[in-house]
């Protein structure tokens, strides 16, 4: 596995919390951050693949059917479009 270095600047509070969690997990801060980034990358890529697969099945008729169920009433206060 090739490795790349990246200088990371974190707010002190985030770094302190990450260091505490790393200690609790019994790993180095670097290992903990690498695992956290890998977890986030996996989650984002999984979500993107899921949404892409769902979008592939979308149709204009399906959207029209969904929109037809929306009640026809004026927007609530604060939801108006600016003119």
């Amino acid at each position: 596995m090739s490795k790349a270095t990246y200088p990371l600047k974190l707010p002190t509070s985030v770094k302190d919390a990450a260091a505490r969690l790393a200690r609790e997990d019994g790993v180095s801060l670097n290992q903990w951050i690498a695992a956290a980034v890998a977890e986030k990358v996996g989650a984002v890529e999984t979500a993107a693949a899921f949404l892409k697969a769902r979008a592939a099945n979308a149709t204009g008729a399906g959207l029209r059917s969904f929109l037809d169920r929306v009640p026809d009433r004026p927007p609530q206060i604060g939801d108006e479009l600016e003119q």
Side-chain angles (χ1 to χ4, degrees):
M1 166 176 51
S2 66
K3 296 186 180 195
T5 60
Y6 180 81
L8 180 63
K9 294 181 181 183
L10 296 172
T12 302
S13 60
V14 173
K15 191 234 178 220
D16 291 345
R20 178 180 48 79
L21 292 168
R23 274 192 310 277
E24 290 174 6
D25 285 352
V27 298
S28 71
L29 178 58
N30 188 69
Q31 288 173 304
W32 194 88
I33 290 173
V37 170
E39 183 179 326
K40 181 66 175 189
V41 167
V44 169
E45 288 182 345
T46 298
F50 171 78
L51 293 172
K52 186 175 182 179
R54 289 290 306 261
N57 297 325
T59 65
L63 177 59
R64 173 53 52 198
S65 170
F66 177 77
L67 291 175
D68 285 343
R69 293 186 299 227
V70 176
D72 186 19
R73 60 180 180 231
Q76 295 179 354
I77 295 174
D79 284 346
E80 305 90 351
L81 292 175
E82 292 185 20
Q83 301 290 330

